[in-house]
Coordinates of all heavy atoms in Angstrom, one line a residue:
L1 N 18.0 3.9 15.3 CA 16.6 3.9 15.6 C 16.1 5.3 15.9 O 15.1 5.7 15.5 CB 16.5 3.0 16.8 CG 15.1 2.5 17.2 CD1 14.4 1.8 16.1 CD2 15.1 1.6 18.4
L2 N 16.9 6.0 16.7 CA 16.6 7.4 17.0 C 16.5 8.3 15.8 O 15.6 9.1 15.7 CB 17.6 8.0 18.0 CG 17.4 9.4 18.5 CD1 16.0 9.5 19.2 CD2 18.5 9.8 19.4
V3 N 17.3 8.1 14.8 CA 17.3 8.9 13.6 C 16.0 8.7 12.9 O 15.3 9.6 12.5 CB 18.5 8.5 12.7 CG1 18.4 9.2 11.3 CG2 19.8 8.9 13.4
Y4 N 15.6 7.4 12.8 CA 14.3 7.1 12.1 C 13.1 7.6 12.8 O 12.1 8.1 12.3 CB 14.2 5.6 11.7 CG 14.9 5.3 10.5 CD1 16.2 4.8 10.6 CD2 14.4 5.5 9.2 CE1 16.9 4.5 9.4 CE2 15.1 5.2 8.1 CZ 16.4 4.7 8.2 OH 17.1 4.4 7.0
R5 N 13.2 7.5 14.2 CA 12.1 8.1 15.0 C 11.9 9.6 14.7 O 10.9 10.1 14.6 CB 12.3 7.9 16.4 CG 11.8 6.5 16.9 CD 11.8 6.4 18.4 NE 12.7 5.4 18.7 CZ 13.4 5.3 19.8 NH1 13.3 6.2 20.7 NH2 14.2 4.3 20.1
N6 N 13.1 10.3 14.6 CA 13.1 11.7 14.3 C 12.6 12.0 12.9 O 11.9 13.0 12.7 CB 14.5 12.3 14.5 CG 14.9 12.4 16.0 OD1 14.0 12.4 16.8 ND2 16.2 12.4 16.2
L7 N 12.9 11.1 12.0 CA 12.5 11.3 10.6 C 11.0 11.2 10.5 O 10.4 11.9 9.6 CB 13.1 10.2 9.7 CG 14.6 10.5 9.2 CD1 15.1 9.3 8.4 CD2 14.7 11.8 8.4
T8 N 10.3 10.4 11.3 CA 8.9 10.4 11.3 C 8.2 11.7 11.6 O 7.1 12.0 11.2 CB 8.3 9.3 12.2 OG1 8.6 9.6 13.6 CG2 8.8 7.9 11.8
Q9 N 9.0 12.5 12.4 CA 8.5 13.9 12.8 C 8.6 14.8 11.6 O 7.8 15.7 11.4 CB 9.3 14.4 14.0 CG 9.2 13.6 15.2 CD 7.8 13.4 15.7 OE1 7.0 14.3 15.8 NE2 7.4 12.1 16.0
F10 N 9.7 14.7 10.8 CA 10.0 15.5 9.7 C 9.2 15.1 8.5 O 8.9 15.9 7.6 CB 11.4 15.6 9.4 CG 12.3 16.3 10.4 CD1 13.1 15.6 11.2 CD2 12.2 17.7 10.5 CE1 13.9 16.3 12.2 CE2 12.9 18.4 11.5 CZ 13.8 17.6 12.3
Y11 N 8.9 13.8 8.3 CA 8.2 13.3 7.2 C 7.0 12.4 7.6 O 7.0 11.2 7.4 CB 9.2 12.4 6.3 CG 10.3 13.2 5.8 CD1 11.6 13.1 6.4 CD2 10.2 14.1 4.7 CE1 12.7 13.8 6.0 CE2 11.3 14.8 4.3 CZ 12.5 14.7 4.9 OH 13.6 15.4 4.5
P12 N 6.0 13.0 8.3 CA 4.9 12.2 8.8 C 4.0 11.6 7.8 O 3.2 10.7 8.1 CB 4.1 13.2 9.7 CG 4.4 14.6 9.0 CD 5.9 14.4 8.5
D13 N 4.2 12.0 6.5 CA 3.4 11.5 5.4 C 4.1 10.5 4.5 O 3.7 10.2 3.4 CB 2.7 12.6 4.6 CG 1.8 13.5 5.4 OD1 1.2 12.9 6.4 OD2 1.8 14.7 5.2
A14 N 5.3 10.1 4.9 CA 6.2 9.2 4.1 C 6.1 7.8 4.6 O 6.8 7.4 5.6 CB 7.6 9.8 4.1
P15 N 5.4 6.9 3.9 CA 5.3 5.5 4.3 C 6.6 4.8 4.4 O 6.8 4.0 5.3 CB 4.4 4.9 3.2 CG 3.8 6.0 2.4 CD 4.6 7.2 2.7
D16 N 7.5 5.2 3.5 CA 8.8 4.5 3.5 C 9.6 4.7 4.8 O 10.3 3.8 5.3 CB 9.7 4.9 2.3 CG 9.1 4.5 1.0 OD1 8.3 3.5 1.0 OD2 9.5 5.1 0.0
V17 N 9.4 5.8 5.4 CA 10.1 6.1 6.7 C 9.6 5.2 7.8 O 10.3 4.6 8.6 CB 10.0 7.6 7.1 CG1 10.5 7.8 8.5 CG2 10.6 8.5 6.1
F18 N 8.2 5.0 7.8 CA 7.6 4.1 8.8 C 8.0 2.6 8.5 O 8.1 1.9 9.5 CB 6.1 4.3 8.8 CG 5.7 5.7 9.4 CD1 5.6 6.8 8.6 CD2 5.7 5.8 10.8 CE1 5.3 8.0 9.2 CE2 5.4 7.0 11.4 CZ 5.2 8.1 10.6
I19 N 8.1 2.3 7.3 CA 8.5 0.9 6.9 C 9.9 0.7 7.4 O 10.2 -0.4 8.0 CB 8.4 0.6 5.4 CG1 6.9 0.7 5.0 CG2 9.0 -0.7 5.0 CD1 6.7 0.7 3.5
A20 N 10.8 1.6 7.2 CA 12.2 1.4 7.6 C 12.3 1.4 9.2 O 13.0 0.6 9.7 CB 13.0 2.6 7.1
L21 N 11.5 2.2 9.8 CA 11.5 2.2 11.3 C 10.9 0.8 11.8 O 11.4 0.2 12.7 CB 10.6 3.3 11.8 CG 10.6 3.5 13.3 CD1 12.0 3.6 14.0 CD2 9.7 4.7 13.7
G22 N 9.9 0.3 11.1 CA 9.3 -1.0 11.5 C 10.4 -2.1 11.3 O 10.5 -3.0 12.1
D23 N 11.1 -2.0 10.2 CA 12.2 -3.0 10.0 C 13.2 -3.0 11.1 O 13.7 -4.0 11.6 CB 12.9 -2.7 8.7 CG 12.1 -3.1 7.5 OD1 11.0 -3.7 7.6 OD2 12.5 -2.6 6.4
L24 N 13.6 -1.8 11.6 CA 14.5 -1.7 12.7 C 14.0 -2.3 14.0 O 14.7 -3.0 14.7 CB 14.9 -0.2 12.9 CG 15.8 0.4 11.8 CD1 16.0 1.9 12.1 CD2 17.1 -0.3 11.7
Y25 N 12.7 -2.0 14.3 CA 12.1 -2.6 15.4 C 12.0 -4.1 15.3 O 12.2 -4.9 16.2 CB 10.7 -2.0 15.7 CG 10.7 -0.7 16.4 CD1 10.2 0.4 15.8 CD2 11.2 -0.6 17.7 CE1 10.2 1.6 16.4 CE2 11.3 0.6 18.3 CZ 10.7 1.7 17.7 OH 10.7 3.0 18.4
H26 N 11.6 -4.6 14.1 CA 11.4 -6.0 13.8 C 12.8 -6.7 14.0 O 12.8 -7.8 14.6 CB 10.9 -6.2 12.4 CG 10.6 -7.6 12.1 ND1 9.3 -8.1 12.3 CD2 11.3 -8.6 11.5 CE1 9.3 -9.4 12.0 NE2 10.5 -9.7 11.5
A27 N 13.8 -6.1 13.6 CA 15.2 -6.8 13.7 C 15.7 -6.7 15.1 O 16.6 -7.5 15.5 CB 16.1 -6.1 12.7
D28 N 15.3 -5.7 15.8 CA 15.8 -5.4 17.2 C 15.6 -6.6 18.1 O 16.6 -7.1 18.7 CB 15.2 -4.1 17.7 CG 15.9 -3.7 19.0 OD1 17.2 -3.8 19.1 OD2 15.3 -3.1 19.9
S29 N 14.4 -7.0 18.3 CA 14.2 -8.2 19.2 C 12.7 -8.6 19.1 O 11.8 -7.8 18.6 CB 14.5 -7.8 20.6 OG 13.6 -6.9 21.2
V30 N 12.4 -9.7 19.6 CA 11.1 -10.2 19.6 C 10.1 -9.3 20.5 O 9.0 -9.2 20.1 CB 11.0 -11.7 20.2 CG1 9.6 -12.2 20.4 CG2 11.9 -12.6 19.3
T31 N 10.7 -8.6 21.5 CA 9.8 -7.8 22.3 C 9.4 -6.5 21.6 O 8.5 -5.9 22.0 CB 10.6 -7.4 23.6 OG1 11.8 -6.7 23.2 CG2 11.0 -8.6 24.4
E32 N 10.0 -6.2 20.4 CA 9.6 -5.0 19.7 C 8.7 -5.3 18.5 O 8.4 -4.4 17.7 CB 10.9 -4.3 19.2 CG 11.8 -3.8 20.3 CD 11.1 -2.7 21.1 OE1 10.2 -2.0 20.7 OE2 11.6 -2.4 22.2
M33 N 8.2 -6.5 18.4 CA 7.4 -6.9 17.3 C 6.1 -6.1 17.2 O 5.6 -5.7 16.1 CB 7.0 -8.4 17.3 CG 8.2 -9.3 17.1 SD 8.7 -9.1 15.4 CE 9.9 -10.4 15.3
D34 N 5.5 -5.8 18.3 CA 4.2 -5.0 18.3 C 4.5 -3.6 17.9 O 3.7 -3.0 17.1 CB 3.6 -5.0 19.7 CG 3.0 -6.3 20.1 OD1 2.6 -7.1 19.2 OD2 2.8 -6.6 21.3
T35 N 5.7 -3.0 18.3 CA 6.0 -1.7 17.9 C 6.3 -1.7 16.4 O 5.9 -0.7 15.7 CB 7.3 -1.2 18.6 OG1 7.0 -1.4 20.0 CG2 7.6 0.2 18.3
A36 N 6.9 -2.7 15.8 CA 7.2 -2.8 14.4 C 5.8 -2.9 13.7 O 5.7 -2.2 12.6 CB 8.0 -4.1 14.1
R37 N 4.9 -3.7 14.2 CA 3.6 -3.8 13.5 C 2.9 -2.5 13.4 O 2.3 -2.1 12.4 CB 2.7 -4.8 14.3 CG 1.3 -4.9 13.8 CD 0.4 -5.8 14.6 NE 0.5 -5.6 16.0 CZ -0.1 -4.6 16.7 NH1 -0.9 -3.7 16.0 NH2 0.0 -4.5 18.0
L38 N 3.0 -1.7 14.5 CA 2.4 -0.3 14.5 C 3.0 0.5 13.4 O 2.2 1.3 12.8 CB 2.5 0.3 15.8 CG 1.8 -0.3 17.0 CD1 2.2 0.3 18.3 CD2 0.3 -0.3 16.8
Q39 N 4.3 0.4 13.1 CA 4.9 1.2 12.1 C 4.4 0.8 10.7 O 4.2 1.6 9.8 CB 6.4 1.1 12.2 CG 7.0 1.5 13.5 CD 6.5 2.9 14.0 OE1 6.6 3.8 13.3 NE2 6.1 2.9 15.2
Y40 N 4.3 -0.5 10.5 CA 3.8 -1.0 9.2 C 2.4 -0.6 9.0 O 2.0 -0.2 7.9 CB 4.0 -2.5 9.1 CG 5.4 -3.0 9.2 CD1 5.7 -4.1 10.0 CD2 6.4 -2.4 8.5 CE1 7.0 -4.6 10.1 CE2 7.7 -2.8 8.6 CZ 8.0 -4.0 9.4 OH 9.3 -4.4 9.5
E41 N 1.6 -0.7 10.1 CA 0.2 -0.2 9.9 C 0.1 1.3 9.6 O -0.8 1.7 8.8 CB -0.6 -0.6 11.2 CG -0.8 -2.1 11.4 CD -1.4 -2.4 12.7 OE1 -1.5 -1.6 13.6 OE2 -1.8 -3.6 12.9
K42 N 0.9 2.0 10.2 CA 1.0 3.5 9.9 C 1.3 3.7 8.5 O 0.7 4.6 7.8 CB 2.0 4.2 10.8 CG 2.1 5.7 10.6 CD 0.9 6.5 10.9 CE 1.2 7.9 10.6 NZ 0.0 8.8 10.8
A43 N 2.3 3.0 7.9 CA 2.6 3.1 6.5 C 1.4 2.8 5.6 O 1.2 3.4 4.6 CB 3.8 2.2 6.2
L44 N 0.7 1.7 6.0 CA -0.5 1.4 5.2 C -1.6 2.4 5.4 O -2.4 2.6 4.5 CB -1.0 0.0 5.6 CG -0.2 -1.2 5.0 CD1 -0.7 -2.5 5.6 CD2 -0.3 -1.2 3.5
Q45 N -1.7 3.1 6.5 CA -2.7 4.1 6.6 C -2.4 5.3 5.7 O -3.3 5.9 5.1 CB -2.7 4.7 8.1 CG -3.4 3.8 9.1 CD -3.2 4.3 10.5 OE1 -2.6 5.4 10.7 NE2 -3.8 3.7 11.4
L46 N -1.1 5.5 5.5 CA -0.7 6.6 4.6 C -0.8 6.2 3.2 O -1.1 7.1 2.3 CB 0.8 7.0 4.9 CG 1.0 7.6 6.3 CD1 2.5 7.7 6.6 CD2 0.4 9.0 6.4
D47 N -0.6 4.9 2.9 CA -0.7 4.5 1.5 C -1.2 3.0 1.5 O -0.5 2.1 1.6 CB 0.7 4.5 0.9 CG 0.7 4.0 -0.6 OD1 -0.4 3.7 -1.1 OD2 1.8 3.8 -1.1
P48 N -2.6 2.9 1.5 CA -3.2 1.6 1.6 C -2.8 0.6 0.5 O -3.0 -0.6 0.7 CB -4.7 1.9 1.5 CG -4.8 3.3 1.9 CD -3.5 4.0 1.4
K49 N -2.3 1.0 -0.6 CA -1.9 0.1 -1.7 C -0.4 -0.2 -1.6 O 0.1 -0.9 -2.5 CB -2.2 0.7 -3.0 CG -3.7 0.9 -3.2 CD -4.0 1.4 -4.6 CE -5.5 1.6 -4.7 NZ -5.9 2.1 -6.0
N50 N 0.3 0.2 -0.6 CA 1.8 0.0 -0.5 C 2.1 -1.5 -0.3 O 1.8 -2.1 0.8 CB 2.4 0.8 0.6 CG 3.9 0.8 0.6 OD1 4.5 -0.2 0.6 ND2 4.4 2.0 0.7
R51 N 2.6 -2.1 -1.4 CA 2.8 -3.6 -1.3 C 3.9 -4.0 -0.3 O 3.8 -5.0 0.4 CB 3.2 -4.1 -2.7 CG 2.0 -4.1 -3.6 CD 2.4 -4.6 -5.0 NE 1.2 -4.5 -5.9 CZ 1.2 -5.0 -7.1 NH1 2.3 -5.5 -7.6 NH2 0.1 -4.8 -7.8
L52 N 4.9 -3.1 -0.3 CA 6.0 -3.4 0.7 C 5.5 -3.4 2.1 O 5.9 -4.3 2.9 CB 7.2 -2.5 0.5 CG 8.4 -2.7 1.3 CD1 9.0 -4.1 1.1 CD2 9.5 -1.7 1.0
A53 N 4.7 -2.5 2.4 CA 4.2 -2.4 3.8 C 3.3 -3.6 4.1 O 3.3 -4.2 5.2 CB 3.4 -1.1 4.0
K54 N 2.5 -4.1 3.1 CA 1.7 -5.2 3.3 C 2.5 -6.5 3.5 O 2.2 -7.3 4.4 CB 0.8 -5.4 2.1 CG -0.3 -4.4 2.0 CD -1.2 -4.7 0.7 CE -2.3 -3.6 0.6 NZ -3.2 -3.9 -0.5
I55 N 3.6 -6.6 2.7 CA 4.5 -7.7 2.9 C 5.2 -7.7 4.3 O 5.2 -8.8 5.0 CB 5.6 -7.7 1.8 CG1 4.9 -8.1 0.4 CG2 6.7 -8.7 2.1 CD1 5.8 -7.8 -0.8
K56 N 5.6 -6.6 4.7 CA 6.3 -6.5 6.0 C 5.3 -6.7 7.1 O 5.7 -7.4 8.1 CB 6.9 -5.1 6.2 CG 7.9 -4.7 5.1 CD 9.2 -5.3 5.3 CE 10.2 -4.8 4.3 NZ 11.6 -5.0 4.7
L57 N 4.1 -6.2 7.0 CA 3.1 -6.5 8.0 C 2.7 -7.9 8.1 O 2.6 -8.5 9.2 CB 1.9 -5.6 7.8 CG 0.8 -5.7 8.8 CD1 1.3 -5.3 10.2 CD2 -0.4 -4.8 8.4
G58 N 2.6 -8.6 6.9 CA 2.3 -10.0 6.9 C 3.4 -10.8 7.5 O 3.2 -11.8 8.3
R59 N 4.7 -10.4 7.2 CA 5.8 -11.1 7.8 C 5.8 -10.9 9.3 O 6.1 -11.9 10.1 CB 7.1 -10.6 7.2 CG 8.4 -11.2 7.8 CD 9.6 -10.5 7.3 NE 9.6 -9.2 8.0 CZ 10.6 -8.3 7.9 NH1 11.6 -8.6 7.1 NH2 10.6 -7.2 8.5
N60 N 5.5 -9.7 9.8 CA 5.4 -9.5 11.2 C 4.4 -10.4 11.9 O 4.7 -11.0 12.9 CB 5.1 -8.0 11.5 CG 5.1 -7.6 12.9 OD1 4.1 -7.7 13.5 ND2 6.2 -7.2 13.4
Y61 N 3.2 -10.4 11.3 CA 2.1 -11.3 11.9 C 2.6 -12.7 11.9 O 2.4 -13.5 12.9 CB 0.9 -11.2 11.1 CG 0.0 -10.0 11.4 CD1 -0.5 -9.2 10.4 CD2 -0.3 -9.6 12.7 CE1 -1.3 -8.1 10.6 CE2 -1.0 -8.5 13.0 CZ -1.6 -7.7 11.9 OH -2.3 -6.6 12.2
A62 N 3.2 -13.2 10.8 CA 3.6 -14.6 10.7 C 4.7 -14.9 11.8 O 4.7 -16.0 12.4 CB 4.2 -14.9 9.3
S63 N 5.6 -14.0 12.0 CA 6.6 -14.2 13.0 C 6.1 -14.3 14.4 O 6.7 -14.9 15.3 CB 7.8 -13.2 12.9 OG 7.3 -11.9 13.2
Q64 N 4.9 -13.7 14.6 CA 4.2 -13.7 15.9 C 3.2 -14.9 15.9 O 2.4 -15.0 16.9 CB 3.5 -12.4 16.2 CG 4.5 -11.3 16.4 CD 3.8 -10.0 16.8 OE1 3.0 -10.0 17.7 NE2 4.0 -8.9 16.1
R65 N 3.2 -15.6 14.8 CA 2.3 -16.8 14.7 C 0.8 -16.3 14.7 O -0.1 -17.0 15.1 CB 2.5 -17.8 15.7 CG 4.0 -18.3 15.7 CD 4.3 -19.5 16.5 NE 3.6 -20.7 16.2 CZ 3.9 -21.5 15.2 NH1 4.8 -21.2 14.3 NH2 3.2 -22.6 15.0
S66 N 0.6 -15.1 14.2 CA -0.8 -14.6 14.0 C -1.2 -14.8 12.5 O -1.3 -13.9 11.8 CB -0.8 -13.1 14.4 OG -0.5 -12.9 15.7
F67 N -1.4 -16.1 12.2 CA -1.6 -16.4 10.8 C -2.9 -15.9 10.2 O -3.0 -15.6 9.1 CB -1.4 -17.9 10.6 CG -0.1 -18.5 11.0 CD1 0.1 -19.3 12.1 CD2 1.0 -18.1 10.3 CE1 1.3 -19.8 12.5 CE2 2.3 -18.5 10.7 CZ 2.4 -19.4 11.8
H68 N -3.9 -15.9 11.1 CA -5.2 -15.4 10.6 C -5.1 -13.9 10.1 O -5.5 -13.6 9.0 CB -6.3 -15.5 11.7 CG -7.6 -15.0 11.3 ND1 -8.4 -15.6 10.4 CD2 -8.3 -13.8 11.6 CE1 -9.5 -14.9 10.2 NE2 -9.5 -13.8 11.0
E69 N -4.4 -13.1 10.9 CA -4.2 -11.7 10.6 C -3.4 -11.6 9.3 O -3.6 -10.7 8.5 CB -3.6 -10.9 11.7 CG -4.5 -10.7 12.9 CD -4.5 -11.8 13.9 OE1 -3.9 -12.9 13.6 OE2 -5.1 -11.6 15.0
S70 N -2.4 -12.4 9.2 CA -1.4 -12.4 8.1 C -2.2 -12.7 6.8 O -1.9 -12.1 5.8 CB -0.4 -13.5 8.3 OG 0.5 -13.5 7.2
N71 N -3.1 -13.6 6.8 CA -3.9 -13.9 5.6 C -4.9 -12.8 5.2 O -5.3 -12.8 4.1 CB -4.7 -15.2 5.9 CG -3.8 -16.4 5.9 OD1 -2.7 -16.4 5.3 ND2 -4.2 -17.5 6.6
E72 N -5.2 -11.9 6.1 CA -6.2 -10.9 5.8 C -5.6 -9.7 5.1 O -6.4 -8.8 4.7 CB -6.9 -10.5 7.1 CG -7.8 -11.5 7.6 CD -8.6 -11.1 8.8 OE1 -8.4 -10.0 9.3 OE2 -9.4 -11.9 9.4
I73 N -4.3 -9.6 5.1 CA -3.7 -8.4 4.5 C -3.9 -8.3 3.0 O -3.8 -9.2 2.3 CB -2.2 -8.3 4.8 CG1 -2.1 -8.2 6.3 CG2 -1.5 -7.2 4.2 CD1 -0.7 -8.3 6.8

């Protein structure tokens, strides 16, 4: 987790780094779902057409039972 956090400093414009960090937060625990969501959203800010980020963000919303948000992606 620390390694990917550091990578975001070295590659602040790389959506894949934020997606990977979001995956780590998502897998870590239910309490980290909001942090994971922020990482996926950052990836989409960097690349609004990134399908993987959209899928991951939708999965994150669905796991939090935020189905309305999930449908809007």
